[in-house]
Amino acid sequence: MASTSAEIIAFLLTISGWVLVSSTLPTDYWKVSTIDGTVITTATFWANLWKTCVTDSTGVSNCKDFPSMLALDGYIQACRGLMISAVCLGFFGAIFGLVGMKCTKVGGSDQTKAKIACLAGLIFILSGLCSMTGCSLYANRITSEFFDPTFVAQKYELGAALFIGWAGASLCIIGGSIFCFSIAENSNSPRRGYAYNGATSVMSSRTKVQNSVPDKTPPKHFDKNAYV
């Protein structure tokens, strides 16, 4: 029962983490920068993995898509590949996790389902590591440019999408670890032993029955002429 509850908790954690990781791809604010005036914010610059935009004080946004994938910076291409890999791995991990849970009716025996659940845990851990690496690589580029005194272009700060990606990656890693521990719990569970007494023959069983039935025949009485 405890193992089943742990698997349900792990499945909820991993699915929540996978949804958060998936939501970072269309999120706009991977990095953000503002230009403040004397009274109001005059412009807000923000960018993600697909485009860069600027929003003025009236709320009008002007966006520009990245022109060519081959002309992009290497870190953006790497982040795209890592995040897309994390989403794909999380999808397959969810399928294997659903099959490997004890509360489902598919997957075979308990030992087979435990192996499938462990495989799902490893996939979710790999998905979380991909997401964590992608977000950290993007954040490292932002912070290195921000603290570089020789960098004269527009400087950005960390956006909300990075924190969402880190949170989703953490949930995937935690839930995947719980899935991996489920196979250890199943291997350590005690098994019931049955003693084999051997097959009893028909004659021995009949003999036991006859011996168990009491003899109800009345005793015979002999007079003295019977011995002559």
Short mmCIF file of all heavy atoms in Angstrom, two decimals, residues 5-62:
data_model
loop_
_atom_site.label_atom_id
_atom_site.label_comp_id
_atom_site.label_asym_id
_atom_site.label_seq_id
_atom_site.Cartn_x
_atom_site.Cartn_y
_atom_site.Cartn_z
N SER A 5 1.08 4.27 -2.93
CA SER A 5 0.94 5.70 -2.63
C SER A 5 2.16 6.48 -3.10
O SER A 5 2.03 7.59 -3.64
CB SER A 5 0.73 5.90 -1.12
OG SER A 5 -0.41 5.19 -0.67
N ALA A 6 3.34 5.90 -2.92
CA ALA A 6 4.56 6.57 -3.38
C ALA A 6 4.57 6.72 -4.90
O ALA A 6 4.99 7.76 -5.44
CB ALA A 6 5.79 5.80 -2.91
N GLU A 7 4.11 5.70 -5.61
CA GLU A 7 4.05 5.78 -7.06
C GLU A 7 3.06 6.82 -7.53
O GLU A 7 3.32 7.54 -8.51
CB GLU A 7 3.71 4.41 -7.64
CG GLU A 7 4.82 3.39 -7.54
CD GLU A 7 4.43 2.05 -8.11
OE1 GLU A 7 3.25 1.86 -8.44
OE2 GLU A 7 5.32 1.18 -8.23
N ILE A 8 1.93 6.94 -6.85
CA ILE A 8 0.96 7.97 -7.22
C ILE A 8 1.53 9.36 -7.00
O ILE A 8 1.38 10.27 -7.84
CB ILE A 8 -0.35 7.76 -6.43
CG1 ILE A 8 -1.02 6.45 -6.85
CG2 ILE A 8 -1.30 8.94 -6.65
CD1 ILE A 8 -2.24 6.11 -6.02
N ILE A 9 2.20 9.55 -5.87
CA ILE A 9 2.83 10.85 -5.60
C ILE A 9 3.91 11.16 -6.64
O ILE A 9 4.02 12.29 -7.14
CB ILE A 9 3.41 10.87 -4.18
CG1 ILE A 9 2.29 10.78 -3.15
CG2 ILE A 9 4.25 12.13 -3.95
CD1 ILE A 9 2.78 10.64 -1.72
N ALA A 10 4.71 10.14 -6.98
CA ALA A 10 5.75 10.34 -7.99
C ALA A 10 5.15 10.69 -9.34
O ALA A 10 5.67 11.56 -10.06
CB ALA A 10 6.61 9.08 -8.10
N PHE A 11 4.05 10.04 -9.70
CA PHE A 11 3.42 10.33 -10.99
C PHE A 11 2.88 11.75 -11.03
O PHE A 11 3.03 12.46 -12.04
CB PHE A 11 2.29 9.31 -11.23
CG PHE A 11 1.66 9.43 -12.59
CD1 PHE A 11 2.31 8.96 -13.71
CD2 PHE A 11 0.41 10.01 -12.73
CE1 PHE A 11 1.73 9.06 -14.96
CE2 PHE A 11 -0.19 10.11 -13.97
CZ PHE A 11 0.47 9.63 -15.10
N LEU A 12 2.28 12.20 -9.94
CA LEU A 12 1.75 13.57 -9.90
C LEU A 12 2.89 14.60 -9.96
O LEU A 12 2.77 15.62 -10.65
CB LEU A 12 0.93 13.78 -8.63
CG LEU A 12 -0.38 12.98 -8.52
CD1 LEU A 12 -1.06 13.23 -7.18
CD2 LEU A 12 -1.32 13.34 -9.67
N LEU A 13 3.99 14.32 -9.27
CA LEU A 13 5.13 15.24 -9.31
C LEU A 13 5.73 15.32 -10.71
O LEU A 13 6.02 16.42 -11.21
CB LEU A 13 6.19 14.78 -8.31
CG LEU A 13 5.87 14.96 -6.82
CD1 LEU A 13 6.99 14.36 -5.97
CD2 LEU A 13 5.69 16.42 -6.48
N THR A 14 5.92 14.18 -11.34
CA THR A 14 6.55 14.19 -12.66
C THR A 14 5.64 14.81 -13.72
O THR A 14 6.12 15.55 -14.59
CB THR A 14 6.91 12.75 -13.07
OG1 THR A 14 5.76 11.90 -12.91
CG2 THR A 14 8.04 12.21 -12.23
N ILE A 15 4.34 14.55 -13.64
CA ILE A 15 3.44 15.16 -14.62
C ILE A 15 3.40 16.68 -14.42
O ILE A 15 3.40 17.45 -15.40
CB ILE A 15 2.03 14.55 -14.49
CG1 ILE A 15 2.04 13.10 -14.98
CG2 ILE A 15 1.02 15.35 -15.30
CD1 ILE A 15 2.42 12.93 -16.43
N SER A 16 3.37 17.13 -13.17
CA SER A 16 3.39 18.57 -12.91
C SER A 16 4.69 19.20 -13.43
O SER A 16 4.67 20.28 -14.04
CB SER A 16 3.23 18.84 -11.41
OG SER A 16 2.02 18.30 -10.93
N GLY A 17 5.81 18.54 -13.18
CA GLY A 17 7.08 19.05 -13.69
C GLY A 17 7.14 19.08 -15.19
O GLY A 17 7.65 20.03 -15.79
N TRP A 18 6.59 18.04 -15.83
CA TRP A 18 6.59 18.00 -17.30
C TRP A 18 5.72 19.11 -17.88
O TRP A 18 6.08 19.72 -18.90
CB TRP A 18 6.10 16.63 -17.76
CG TRP A 18 5.98 16.51 -19.25
CD1 TRP A 18 6.98 16.64 -20.16
CD2 TRP A 18 4.79 16.23 -19.99
NE1 TRP A 18 6.49 16.45 -21.44
CE2 TRP A 18 5.15 16.20 -21.36
CE3 TRP A 18 3.47 15.99 -19.63
CZ2 TRP A 18 4.23 15.95 -22.36
CZ3 TRP A 18 2.55 15.74 -20.64
CH2 TRP A 18 2.92 15.72 -21.98
N VAL A 19 4.59 19.40 -17.26
CA VAL A 19 3.74 20.49 -17.72
C VAL A 19 4.46 21.84 -17.58
O VAL A 19 4.41 22.69 -18.48
CB VAL A 19 2.40 20.49 -16.95
CG1 VAL A 19 1.60 21.75 -17.25
CG2 VAL A 19 1.58 19.26 -17.31
N LEU A 20 5.16 22.03 -16.47
CA LEU A 20 5.90 23.28 -16.28
C LEU A 20 7.03 23.42 -17.31
O LEU A 20 7.25 24.51 -17.85
CB LEU A 20 6.47 23.34 -14.86
CG LEU A 20 5.46 23.53 -13.73
CD1 LEU A 20 6.16 23.50 -12.38
CD2 LEU A 20 4.70 24.83 -13.89
N VAL A 21 7.74 22.34 -17.55
CA VAL A 21 8.81 22.39 -18.55
C VAL A 21 8.24 22.68 -19.94
O VAL A 21 8.81 23.47 -20.70
CB VAL A 21 9.60 21.07 -18.53
CG1 VAL A 21 10.56 21.00 -19.71
CG2 VAL A 21 10.37 20.92 -17.23
N SER A 22 7.12 22.06 -20.27
CA SER A 22 6.50 22.30 -21.58
C SER A 22 6.02 23.74 -21.73
O SER A 22 6.04 24.29 -22.84
CB SER A 22 5.34 21.33 -21.79
OG SER A 22 5.77 19.99 -21.71
N SER A 23 5.59 24.34 -20.63
CA SER A 23 5.07 25.70 -20.71
C SER A 23 6.17 26.74 -20.91
O SER A 23 5.87 27.89 -21.26
CB SER A 23 4.28 26.04 -19.44
OG SER A 23 5.13 26.05 -18.30
N THR A 24 7.42 26.37 -20.69
CA THR A 24 8.50 27.35 -20.87
C THR A 24 8.81 27.62 -22.35
O THR A 24 9.33 28.69 -22.67
CB THR A 24 9.78 26.86 -20.18
OG1 THR A 24 10.16 25.58 -20.74
CG2 THR A 24 9.57 26.71 -18.69
N LEU A 25 8.51 26.67 -23.22
CA LEU A 25 8.83 26.87 -24.64
C LEU A 25 8.06 28.05 -25.26
O LEU A 25 8.67 28.87 -25.93
CB LEU A 25 8.57 25.57 -25.42
CG LEU A 25 9.61 24.47 -25.25
CD1 LEU A 25 9.18 23.22 -26.00
CD2 LEU A 25 10.97 24.94 -25.75
N PRO A 26 6.75 28.18 -25.06
CA PRO A 26 6.06 29.35 -25.64
C PRO A 26 6.10 30.59 -24.75
O PRO A 26 5.57 31.63 -25.15
CB PRO A 26 4.62 28.85 -25.80
CG PRO A 26 4.43 27.88 -24.69
CD PRO A 26 5.77 27.20 -24.51
N THR A 27 6.68 30.50 -23.55
CA THR A 27 6.71 31.65 -22.67
C THR A 27 7.62 32.74 -23.25
O THR A 27 8.69 32.46 -23.79
CB THR A 27 7.22 31.25 -21.27
OG1 THR A 27 6.37 30.23 -20.76
CG2 THR A 27 7.20 32.43 -20.32
N ASP A 28 7.18 33.99 -23.13
CA ASP A 28 7.90 35.10 -23.76
C ASP A 28 9.14 35.51 -22.99
O ASP A 28 10.20 35.75 -23.56
CB ASP A 28 6.97 36.31 -23.91
CG ASP A 28 5.83 36.03 -24.87
OD1 ASP A 28 6.02 35.23 -25.80
OD2 ASP A 28 4.74 36.61 -24.69
N TYR A 29 9.04 35.59 -21.67
CA TYR A 29 10.07 36.26 -20.88
C TYR A 29 11.15 35.28 -20.43
O TYR A 29 11.19 34.86 -19.27
CB TYR A 29 9.44 36.97 -19.69
CG TYR A 29 8.50 38.08 -20.08
CD1 TYR A 29 7.12 37.87 -20.09
CD2 TYR A 29 8.98 39.32 -20.45
CE1 TYR A 29 6.26 38.89 -20.47
CE2 TYR A 29 8.13 40.35 -20.83
CZ TYR A 29 6.76 40.12 -20.84
OH TYR A 29 5.91 41.12 -21.22
N TRP A 30 12.05 34.92 -21.35
CA TRP A 30 13.26 34.20 -20.96
C TRP A 30 14.32 35.18 -20.45
O TRP A 30 15.07 34.84 -19.54
CB TRP A 30 13.81 33.40 -22.15
CG TRP A 30 13.12 32.09 -22.34
CD1 TRP A 30 11.82 31.89 -22.72
CD2 TRP A 30 13.68 30.79 -22.14
NE1 TRP A 30 11.54 30.55 -22.79
CE2 TRP A 30 12.66 29.86 -22.45
CE3 TRP A 30 14.94 30.34 -21.77
CZ2 TRP A 30 12.87 28.48 -22.36
CZ3 TRP A 30 15.15 28.97 -21.69
CH2 TRP A 30 14.13 28.06 -21.97
N LYS A 31 14.38 36.33 -21.04
CA LYS A 31 15.22 37.40 -20.53
C LYS A 31 14.48 38.72 -20.77
O LYS A 31 13.75 38.86 -21.76
CB LYS A 31 16.59 37.42 -21.18
CG LYS A 31 16.60 37.59 -22.69
CD LYS A 31 18.04 37.55 -23.22
CE LYS A 31 18.08 37.72 -24.72
NZ LYS A 31 19.48 37.71 -25.25
N VAL A 32 14.67 39.67 -19.86
CA VAL A 32 13.91 40.92 -19.90
C VAL A 32 14.80 42.06 -19.46
O VAL A 32 15.70 41.89 -18.64
CB VAL A 32 12.65 40.81 -19.00
CG1 VAL A 32 13.03 40.55 -17.56
CG2 VAL A 32 11.76 42.01 -19.14
N SER A 33 14.53 43.22 -20.04
CA SER A 33 15.25 44.43 -19.68
C SER A 33 14.31 45.62 -19.87
O SER A 33 13.47 45.62 -20.78
CB SER A 33 16.50 44.61 -20.55
OG SER A 33 17.18 45.81 -20.21
N THR A 34 14.44 46.60 -19.01
CA THR A 34 13.56 47.77 -19.06
C THR A 34 14.40 49.04 -19.12
O THR A 34 15.52 49.10 -18.59
CB THR A 34 12.65 47.83 -17.82
OG1 THR A 34 13.46 47.86 -16.64
CG2 THR A 34 11.72 46.63 -17.78
N ILE A 35 13.82 50.03 -19.78
CA ILE A 35 14.40 51.38 -19.82
C ILE A 35 13.41 52.29 -19.13
O ILE A 35 12.29 52.49 -19.60
CB ILE A 35 14.66 51.84 -21.27
CG1 ILE A 35 15.68 50.91 -21.95
CG2 ILE A 35 15.16 53.29 -21.29
CD1 ILE A 35 15.95 51.27 -23.40
N ASP A 36 13.82 52.84 -18.01
CA ASP A 36 12.94 53.65 -17.19
C ASP A 36 13.13 55.13 -17.50
O ASP A 36 14.27 55.61 -17.67
CB ASP A 36 13.20 53.41 -15.70
CG ASP A 36 12.92 51.97 -15.31
OD1 ASP A 36 12.03 51.37 -15.95
OD2 ASP A 36 13.59 51.45 -14.39
N GLY A 37 11.99 55.83 -17.56
CA GLY A 37 12.03 57.28 -17.70
C GLY A 37 11.93 57.94 -16.34
O GLY A 37 12.12 57.33 -15.29
N THR A 38 11.62 59.19 -16.35
CA THR A 38 11.51 59.93 -15.09
C THR A 38 10.24 59.57 -14.33
O THR A 38 10.20 59.64 -13.10
CB THR A 38 11.52 61.43 -15.37
OG1 THR A 38 10.48 61.75 -16.30
CG2 THR A 38 12.88 61.84 -15.97
N VAL A 39 9.18 59.18 -15.06
CA VAL A 39 7.89 58.89 -14.43
C VAL A 39 7.47 57.44 -14.65
O VAL A 39 7.10 56.73 -13.72
CB VAL A 39 6.80 59.86 -14.92
CG1 VAL A 39 5.47 59.53 -14.25
CG2 VAL A 39 7.21 61.30 -14.66
N ILE A 40 7.52 56.99 -15.90
CA ILE A 40 7.03 55.66 -16.25
C ILE A 40 8.12 54.90 -16.98
O ILE A 40 9.15 55.46 -17.37
CB ILE A 40 5.76 55.74 -17.14
CG1 ILE A 40 6.07 56.49 -18.43
CG2 ILE A 40 4.61 56.37 -16.38
CD1 ILE A 40 4.92 56.51 -19.41
N THR A 41 7.86 53.60 -17.16
CA THR A 41 8.77 52.77 -17.94
C THR A 41 8.53 53.03 -19.42
O THR A 41 7.41 52.85 -19.93
CB THR A 41 8.53 51.28 -17.62
OG1 THR A 41 8.75 51.06 -16.24
CG2 THR A 41 9.46 50.40 -18.44
N THR A 42 9.58 53.48 -20.10
CA THR A 42 9.40 53.86 -21.50
C THR A 42 9.43 52.67 -22.45
O THR A 42 8.74 52.68 -23.47
CB THR A 42 10.50 54.85 -21.89
OG1 THR A 42 11.79 54.23 -21.66
CG2 THR A 42 10.41 56.12 -21.05
N ALA A 43 10.19 51.64 -22.13
CA ALA A 43 10.27 50.49 -23.03
C ALA A 43 10.71 49.26 -22.23
O ALA A 43 11.45 49.37 -21.26
CB ALA A 43 11.25 50.74 -24.17
N THR A 44 10.22 48.13 -22.69
CA THR A 44 10.59 46.83 -22.09
C THR A 44 11.07 45.91 -23.19
O THR A 44 10.32 45.65 -24.15
CB THR A 44 9.39 46.20 -21.36
OG1 THR A 44 8.93 47.08 -20.33
CG2 THR A 44 9.78 44.88 -20.74
N PHE A 45 12.29 45.47 -23.09
CA PHE A 45 12.86 44.53 -24.04
C PHE A 45 12.80 43.12 -23.45
O PHE A 45 13.15 42.92 -22.29
CB PHE A 45 14.32 44.90 -24.35
CG PHE A 45 14.49 46.24 -25.00
CD1 PHE A 45 14.61 47.39 -24.23
CD2 PHE A 45 14.53 46.36 -26.39
CE1 PHE A 45 14.76 48.62 -24.83
CE2 PHE A 45 14.68 47.59 -26.98
CZ PHE A 45 14.80 48.73 -26.21
N TRP A 46 12.36 42.18 -24.25
CA TRP A 46 12.31 40.79 -23.79
C TRP A 46 12.53 39.86 -24.98
O TRP A 46 12.32 40.24 -26.13
CB TRP A 46 10.99 40.47 -23.09
CG TRP A 46 9.75 40.86 -23.86
CD1 TRP A 46 9.11 42.06 -23.82
CD2 TRP A 46 9.00 40.05 -24.75
NE1 TRP A 46 8.02 42.07 -24.65
CE2 TRP A 46 7.92 40.83 -25.21
CE3 TRP A 46 9.12 38.74 -25.20
CZ2 TRP A 46 6.98 40.35 -26.13
CZ3 TRP A 46 8.19 38.25 -26.09
CH2 TRP A 46 7.13 39.06 -26.54
N ALA A 47 12.95 38.66 -24.67
CA ALA A 47 13.26 37.69 -25.71
C ALA A 47 13.07 36.29 -25.16
O ALA A 47 13.09 36.06 -23.94
CB ALA A 47 14.69 37.87 -26.22
N ASN A 48 12.88 35.34 -26.07
CA ASN A 48 12.80 33.93 -25.71
C ASN A 48 13.62 33.13 -26.71
O ASN A 48 14.53 33.67 -27.34
CB ASN A 48 11.34 33.46 -25.63
CG ASN A 48 10.59 33.70 -26.93
OD1 ASN A 48 11.19 34.01 -27.96
ND2 ASN A 48 9.28 33.56 -26.89
N LEU A 49 13.32 31.87 -26.88
CA LEU A 49 14.10 31.03 -27.78
C LEU A 49 13.74 31.22 -29.23
O LEU A 49 14.43 30.66 -30.11
CB LEU A 49 13.90 29.55 -27.40
CG LEU A 49 14.37 29.14 -26.00
CD1 LEU A 49 14.04 27.67 -25.77
CD2 LEU A 49 15.85 29.40 -25.82
N TRP A 50 12.69 32.00 -29.52
CA TRP A 50 12.20 32.08 -30.89
C TRP A 50 12.19 33.51 -31.46
O TRP A 50 12.24 33.66 -32.67
CB TRP A 50 10.78 31.50 -30.97
CG TRP A 50 10.62 30.24 -30.21
CD1 TRP A 50 10.05 30.08 -28.99
CD2 TRP A 50 11.09 28.94 -30.59
NE1 TRP A 50 10.11 28.78 -28.58
CE2 TRP A 50 10.74 28.04 -29.55
CE3 TRP A 50 11.77 28.45 -31.71
CZ2 TRP A 50 11.05 26.69 -29.60
CZ3 TRP A 50 12.07 27.10 -31.76
CH2 TRP A 50 11.72 26.24 -30.71
N LYS A 51 12.15 34.50 -30.61
CA LYS A 51 12.04 35.88 -31.10
C LYS A 51 12.52 36.85 -30.03
O LYS A 51 12.70 36.48 -28.87
CB LYS A 51 10.59 36.20 -31.48
CG LYS A 51 9.62 36.06 -30.32
CD LYS A 51 8.17 36.24 -30.76
CE LYS A 51 7.21 36.00 -29.59
NZ LYS A 51 5.81 36.17 -29.99
N THR A 52 12.70 38.09 -30.45
CA THR A 52 13.03 39.19 -29.56
C THR A 52 12.05 40.33 -29.80
O THR A 52 11.69 40.60 -30.95
CB THR A 52 14.48 39.67 -29.77
OG1 THR A 52 14.74 40.76 -28.89
CG2 THR A 52 14.73 40.09 -31.21
N CYS A 53 11.61 40.95 -28.73
CA CYS A 53 10.54 41.94 -28.82
C CYS A 53 10.85 43.15 -27.96
O CYS A 53 11.71 43.09 -27.06
CB CYS A 53 9.19 41.35 -28.38
SG CYS A 53 8.64 39.92 -29.34
N VAL A 54 10.12 44.22 -28.22
CA VAL A 54 10.18 45.43 -27.41
C VAL A 54 8.75 45.95 -27.27
O VAL A 54 7.97 45.95 -28.22
CB VAL A 54 11.11 46.50 -28.05
CG1 VAL A 54 10.65 46.87 -29.47
CG2 VAL A 54 11.19 47.73 -27.17
N THR A 55 8.40 46.35 -26.06
CA THR A 55 7.08 46.88 -25.74
C THR A 55 7.24 48.30 -25.20
O THR A 55 7.99 48.52 -24.25
CB THR A 55 6.37 45.99 -24.70
OG1 THR A 55 6.31 44.65 -25.18
CG2 THR A 55 4.95 46.49 -24.45
N ASP A 56 6.52 49.24 -25.81
CA ASP A 56 6.64 50.63 -25.37
C ASP A 56 5.66 50.91 -24.24
O ASP A 56 4.95 50.01 -23.76
CB ASP A 56 6.43 51.59 -26.55
CG ASP A 56 5.10 51.40 -27.24
OD1 ASP A 56 4.21 50.73 -26.66
OD2 ASP A 56 4.92 51.90 -28.37
N SER A 57 5.63 52.15 -23.82
CA SER A 57 4.80 52.52 -22.67
C SER A 57 3.31 52.45 -22.97
O SER A 57 2.49 52.35 -22.05
CB SER A 57 5.15 53.93 -22.21
OG SER A 57 4.97 54.86 -23.28
N THR A 58 2.93 52.46 -24.24
CA THR A 58 1.51 52.36 -24.60
C THR A 58 1.03 50.91 -24.68
O THR A 58 -0.15 50.68 -24.93
CB THR A 58 1.27 53.05 -25.94
OG1 THR A 58 2.05 52.41 -26.97
CG2 THR A 58 1.65 54.53 -25.86
N GLY A 59 1.93 49.94 -24.52
CA GLY A 59 1.55 48.54 -24.58
C GLY A 59 1.66 47.92 -25.95
O GLY A 59 1.29 46.75 -26.14
N VAL A 60 2.17 48.65 -26.92
CA VAL A 60 2.34 48.12 -28.27
C VAL A 60 3.67 47.38 -28.35
O VAL A 60 4.72 47.92 -27.96
CB VAL A 60 2.29 49.26 -29.31
CG1 VAL A 60 2.51 48.70 -30.71
CG2 VAL A 60 0.97 49.99 -29.23
N SER A 61 3.63 46.15 -28.85
CA SER A 61 4.82 45.32 -28.94
C SER A 61 5.24 45.15 -30.39
O SER A 61 4.40 44.96 -31.28
CB SER A 61 4.57 43.93 -28.33
OG SER A 61 4.25 44.04 -26.96
N ASN A 62 6.52 45.23 -30.62
CA ASN A 62 7.11 44.98 -31.92
C ASN A 62 8.09 43.83 -31.77
O ASN A 62 9.05 43.92 -30.99
CB ASN A 62 7.84 46.23 -32.45
CG ASN A 62 6.89 47.38 -32.71
OD1 ASN A 62 5.80 47.18 -33.24
ND2 ASN A 62 7.29 48.60 -32.33
#
